[in-house]
Amino acid sequence: MAENNSLVGIKSLQRKTNNQVIIVQILVMIFLCINVWLIVTFFKKECFYTTTRYILFAVTLLSDSFLLFMSDILLILTHSHFAIQVWLCIIINIFIILYSVVTPVTLIAMTLERYVAICMPLRHGELCSTRSTMHCILIIHGLSSVPCIVILSTFFASASLSFYKQYQICSVEICIFYMWQHHLRSALYQFQFLIMCIIVIFCYVKIMKVAKAASGEDKKSTKKGLRTVLLHGFQLLLCLIQLWTPFMEAAVLQVNFDLFIDVRYINYIMFYLAPRCLSPLIYGLRDEVFFHALKHYASFGLYKRNII
C-alpha cells in the first residue's frame, strides 16, 4: 500500500514537472518572438543603430534573448536528466553567468546616457557618439565578466583534471564545491548591484534637480527622463530579486520538496523569464520613435500578408 502511494506521488510529481516545462517552452517561444520583433525593428531604421540609447537597448535585447535561449537549453537538459561532460557544462555556464550580468550593467549605461542628455546636454554629442558607444559596449562586457572570472577561478583552483571528463547533470551550481564559494559569489553580485543602485539614485536625484529648474518643453523632457530612470531602477530590482531567489528556495527545500518545486518554477517565470521580455517591450513601447516604427512594420507586414 505504501509502495503504491509513493509510486502515485512520483507519477503525479513527474506529470506536474512535465506540464511546467511545457508551459515554460511556450513562454520562452513567445518572449523570444517578441524580442526578435524588437531586434528586427531596431535594424530597419538607420536612426536606431546610430543613436546611443537605441544601440544600448539592442544590446539588452540580444543579451536577454541569448540568455533565454541558453537557460532554456539548460532547463531541458536538466528535466530530461541528460548528463554531459563537465567541460561542456562549464562553457554553457560561462555564457549564462556573463549574460545574466550584461543586461543590468547595460541598464546602468542607459541611465548614465539619460543623465548626460539631461544634465550635460552640451557634451551629449561628444560623450554619446557611435564610436563612444562601441567602446561602452566593450566596457560593459568587461565589467560583466568580473563575476564569471572570479567564479571560474575558484572552480579551476578546486576541481581536479579528471572532474572535467565526468558526465554530470549540468547546472550553474556545478561550479561550486564549497560553501565559501557560494558566499563569495553572493557577496560579489550584491556588491555589484549595490554600486548599480547608487548610480541609479545619483542620476535620479541629479535629473530631478534639473526637472525642478526646467520649464516648458525642457520640463516635459526631463520628467520623461525621470520616468525612464525609474524604469531602469525597477528592472534592476527584478534582477536583484533574481539573485535572492536561491536563498528562498534553499529555505523552502528544508520544509517541503513539492513546495520547493513550485517556488522554483514561479521564481523562474516571474524573476527570470518575464523581466527578460516584458521590460524591453515596455521600454520599446514607451519610446515614441520606436513605438511608431513597431506599428509601421507590424502594419506593413500584415498588409503584405493580405496581398499574398
Side-chain angles (χ1 to χ4, degrees):
M1 187 73 177
E3 276 186 37
N4 288 338
N5 287 338
S6 65
L7 282 170
V8 169
I10 290 165
K11 282 182 180 178
S12 67
L13 183 63
Q14 283 178 339
R15 200 179 305 116
K16 187 179 182 180
T17 52
N18 286 341
N19 291 337
Q20 287 177 346
V21 169
I22 291 166
I23 291 167
V24 167
Q25 296 314 302
I26 293 166
L27 288 173
V28 166
M29 287 301 295
I30 292 168
F31 293 164
L32 281 175
C33 286
I34 291 170
N35 281 8
V36 168
W37 176 42
L38 293 167
I39 291 164
V40 168
T41 304
F42 166 80
F43 284 107
K44 288 282 185 179
K45 288 190 82 172
E46 189 181 344
C47 69
F48 292 148
Y49 52 83
T50 55
T51 307
T52 298
R53 74 174 182 272
Y54 294 124
I55 295 169
L56 294 175
F57 176 52
V59 170
T60 64
L61 287 173
L62 291 166
S63 167
D64 288 340
S65 300
F66 186 72
L67 188 62
L68 279 174
F69 179 71
M70 293 301 290
S71 65
D72 191 48
I73 288 174
L74 203 59
L75 176 73
I76 293 166
L77 289 175
T78 305
H79 177 69
S80 58
H81 301 287
F82 186 81
I84 60 174
Q85 284 191 309
V86 171
W87 67 266
L88 182 57
C89 180
I90 295 301
I91 292 170
I92 294 170
N93 281 332
I94 286 170
F95 289 108
I96 289 174
I97 295 167
L98 174 64
Y99 284 97
S100 64
V101 184
V102 163
T103 294
V105 176
T106 308
L107 289 174
I108 293 302
M110 291 169 80
T111 302
L112 289 170
E113 187 275 332
R114 287 294 84 200
Y115 164 72
V116 171
I118 293 165
C119 300
M120 304 164 66
L122 297 177
R123 297 201 64 196
H124 184 260
E126 176 196 342
L127 294 174
C128 299
S129 64
T130 307
R131 183 187 175 87
S132 299
T133 307
M134 294 302 112
H135 292 157
C136 180
I137 292 168
L138 290 174
I139 292 167
I140 285 167
H141 282 78
L143 291 171
S144 302
S145 65
V146 171
C148 185
I149 291 166
V150 172
I151 291 165
L152 290 177
S153 296
T154 59
F155 169 76
F156 293 144
S158 306
S160 62
L161 288 172
S162 60
F163 182 70
Y164 297 102
K165 294 179 182 178
Q166 290 180 19
Y167 283 84
Q168 301 262 358
I169 302 295
C170 188
S171 74
V172 178
E173 303 303 319
I174 206 168
C175 297
I176 295 171
F177 289 106
Y178 307 107
M179 204 62 193
W180 66 265
Q181 290 172 308
H182 178 75
H183 293 319
L184 177 65
R185 183 183 69 171
S186 176
L188 188 64
Y189 278 135
Q190 293 194 36
F191 174 73
Q192 205 169 27
F193 275 89
L194 176 65
I195 299 297
M196 291 178 191
C197 290
I198 290 168
I199 292 170
V200 169
I201 292 165
F202 169 80
C203 291
Y204 184 80
V205 170
K206 288 289 185 181
I207 293 170
M208 193 161 59
K209 284 180 181 178
V210 173
K212 283 181 180 178
S215 59
E217 283 298 312
D218 288 340
K219 196 173 187 73
K220 188 179 176 182
S221 176
T222 49
K223 280 189 174 178
K224 189 177 179 182
L226 277 174
R227 288 194 294 270
T228 303
V229 171
L230 276 176
L231 175 61
H232 293 334
F234 177 68
Q235 288 172 290
L236 279 173
L237 178 64
L238 290 177
C239 292
L240 186 59
I241 292 171
Q242 181 192 317
L243 292 179
W244 291 336
T245 53
F247 300 106
M248 189 196 309
E249 290 165 10
V252 171
L253 183 59
Q254 303 297 322
V255 180
N256 188 293
F257 183 74
D258 289 350
L259 184 61
F260 163 75
I261 296 292
D262 291 334
V263 168
R264 189 172 63 171
Y265 174 66
I266 292 165
N267 284 341
Y268 183 72
I269 289 175
M270 285 186 66
F271 303 119
Y272 203 90
L273 290 186
R276 303 288 168 190
C277 171
L278 297 180
S279 294
L281 182 61
I282 292 165
Y283 187 87
L285 295 176
R286 278 185 74 253
D287 188 277
E288 288 178 21
V289 179
F290 205 86
F291 176 65
H292 286 308
L294 283 171
K295 270 178 67 178
H296 172 73
Y297 292 117
S299 59
F300 182 69
L302 287 171
Y303 174 71
K304 277 182 74 178
R305 190 176 295 175
N306 289 335
I307 290 174
I308 293 166

